[in-house]
Amino acid sequence: MSKSVLVGNVRIGGGAPIAVQTMTKTDTRDAKKTIEQIWRVYGAGCEIVRCAIPDMEAAKALSEIVKGSPIPVVADIHFDYRLALVSLEAGCHKLRLNPGNIKDKEKIRLVAREAKSRSVPIRVGVNAGSIKHTNNVSNEVVQIALEEVKILEDEDFRDIVVSVKTSDIKTTIEANRLLRKACDYPIHMGLTESGPLIQGLVRSSAALLPMLEEGIGDTIRVSLTEDPEAEVEAAWSMLETVGVRSFGPTIISCPTCGRTRQNLRGKLSEIRMALKGVKGKKIAVMGCEVNGPGEAKDADMGIAFGATKCVVFRGGNMIGTFDTDEAVRILIEMAKEDN
Ligand code: SF4
């Protein structure tokens, strides 16, 4: 089992549930907009949020952001150690340092001492894109991470999280396997620069699901060229797929076809929103009453949409046929009652 660190009130590692993270995509200097986005990702299930700190103004804005955030805030630091010091002063709950671009050991030690005095953990976050590497990238990112870890340990700093990310699926998996063998600090997992929504989801799933199956990873961020809420939803979906956590019900829905008579996507989204937080249920949302109930018989409960009426079923048995709105209401009530 990995060691654990406390990020604000969220534990990472040591057998704690894998924490879901994302990054804000607003200009951090605009504290109001950033806080608004944090509340939105919090609503989507985000447990730790990271903000880019590109300059002093952003580092200073962090103080207001931390106060307005319902979840722990991580300061993402590149190049300038002074941004880390100001972020610590602003009350950030964790620092992310990139060993690829803060190279002066004395400066890293200084940040470590300051973080230690405030009980703030540091993530050593190596990205293959930030380092000069040869052909053995997986090994190199791990070595660079471990060298940085050693600098922190020399300051008797142990509140460490490590990540080794690349944009290549196999390399990322291999690097994380090596990292897991090489140290027992919690691992922040992710595939970097994974791409736009669909491509990014496929690539991130290909990289992260095998790692989750192997028990590698203590906190997860799915990087997408998309709104951060989508990253959070994707992370939860992966955790649910491997059965390690559950944020809402497992919804199975048909792809729709020429038999579909209602707007299934709209209804599906209405049902999903209403059932956020309902855990451990498999709910089927099907596009027709001809095949729907049969195709979804393994679900705990479900609904099959006809032209104006819907069949509601539970445990494979039909409960009745109702007008659409009534049927949706009955399904939602049933799922909530049973929770
Ligand atoms: S459940 Fe009905 S609408 Fe959905 S794919 Fe199957 S046949 Fe088509």
Side-chain angles (χ1 to χ4, degrees):
M1 190 184 289
S2 62
K3 291 181 175 133
S4 77
V5 303
L6 205 53
V7 181
N9 58 357
V10 177
R11 190 162 290 285
I12 298 180
I18 297 170
V20 170
Q21 305 201 20
T22 188
M23 266 190 99
T24 49
K25 304 192 179 189
T26 48
D27 183 339
T28 309
R29 292 169 296 188
D30 188 337
K32 185 172 175 288
K33 278 208 176 114
T34 303
I35 291 168
E36 282 167 7
Q37 190 167 63
I38 291 177
W39 276 91
R40 286 199 296 278
V41 297
Y42 168 65
C46 183
E47 295 166 310
I48 297 172
V49 69
R50 181 159 46 114
C51 299
I53 309 296
D55 56 27
M56 253 333 149
E57 213 185 316
K60 286 178 183 157
L62 212 49
S63 156
E64 192 180 336
I65 293 168
V66 167
K67 284 190 196 105
S69 171
I71 46 178
V73 178
V74 183
D76 192 67
I77 309 293
H78 295 257
F79 300 105
D80 188 348
Y81 77 101
R82 287 168 300 187
L83 299 175
L85 297 178
V86 175
S87 298
L88 285 167
E89 222 169 275
C92 73
H93 300 99
K94 184 173 151 214
L95 286 174
R96 180 274 171 114
L97 302 182
N98 183 343
N101 55 38
I102 304 181
K103 298 200 184 288
D104 185 336
K105 288 182 188 170
E106 271 317 307
K107 306 284 190 286
I108 298 166
R109 288 196 180 105
L110 183 60
V111 173
R113 286 197 290 274
E114 192 56 34
K116 189 174 163 68
S117 75
R118 296 172 187 268
S119 302
V120 170
I122 294 177
R123 169 161 68 98
V124 173
V126 182
N127 272 11
S130 308
I131 60 166
K132 286 198 186 94
H133 51 74
T134 58
N135 284 334
N136 194 354
V137 182
S138 51
N139 201 41
E140 282 164 340
V141 287
V142 172
Q143 287 318 311
I144 287 172
L146 295 178
E147 280 163 24
E148 180 99 345
V149 163
K150 177 79 174 54
I151 299 172
L152 299 178
E153 286 177 338
D154 286 347
E155 287 299 319
D156 197 24
F157 189 92
R158 297 283 189 279
D159 279 345
I160 300 170
V161 178
V162 189
S163 66
V164 282
K165 298 188 188 181
T166 82
S167 56
D168 180 74
I169 295 162
K170 280 188 184 157
T171 310
T172 298
I173 296 173
E174 210 174 275
N176 279 275
R177 283 180 181 149
L178 289 172
L179 181 65
R180 183 68 306 155
K181 277 193 197 135
C183 74
D184 57 2
Y185 289 113
I187 291 180
H188 166 119
M189 66 195 311
L191 179 79
T192 192
E193 294 124 23
S194 66
L197 186 61
I198 293 180
Q199 181 192 318
L201 282 174
V202 172
R203 286 168 43 71
S204 292
S205 301
L208 303 184
L209 290 177
M211 285 158 55
L212 285 168
E213 291 282 8
E214 290 175 32
I216 297 172
D218 300 282
T219 178
I220 182 170
R221 190 243 172 147
V222 179
S223 307
L224 298 171
T225 314
E226 258 299 330
D227 289 338
E229 293 94 313
E231 294 191 355
V232 173
E233 197 178 332
W236 274 107
S237 183
M238 285 186 205
L239 298 178
E240 284 170 345
T241 299
V242 293
V244 293
R245 290 196 73 182
S246 168
F247 183 63
T250 302
I251 305 255
I252 54 170
S253 59
C254 79
T256 74
C257 71
R259 287 198 182 88
T260 318
R261 290 288 172 265
Q262 294 206 42
N263 172 7
L264 195 72
R265 277 175 68 182
K267 292 294 171 197
L268 182 60
S269 131
E270 183 185 332
I271 291 167
R272 284 184 71 203
M273 289 308 289
L275 295 184
K276 255 186 192 174
V278 171
K279 296 181 183 174
K281 293 274 170 319
K282 193 191 265 190
I283 296 171
V285 178
M286 309 303 279
C288 79
E289 72 278 56
V290 182
N291 289 336
E295 288 179 13
K297 61 180 178 303
D298 290 338
D300 295 306
M301 60 193 68
I303 186 167
F305 288 84
T308 56
K309 297 205 178 269
C310 305
V311 178
V312 177
F313 49 94
R314 176 188 261 170
N317 299 316
M318 187 170 128
I319 288 185
T321 302
F322 309 92
D323 288 340
T324 298
D325 288 350
E326 178 68 355
V328 170
R329 190 188 61 73
I330 290 170
L331 177 80
I332 290 169
E333 263 179 21
M334 243 165 39
K336 285 185 172 169
E337 263 170 27
D338 280 9
N339 202 38

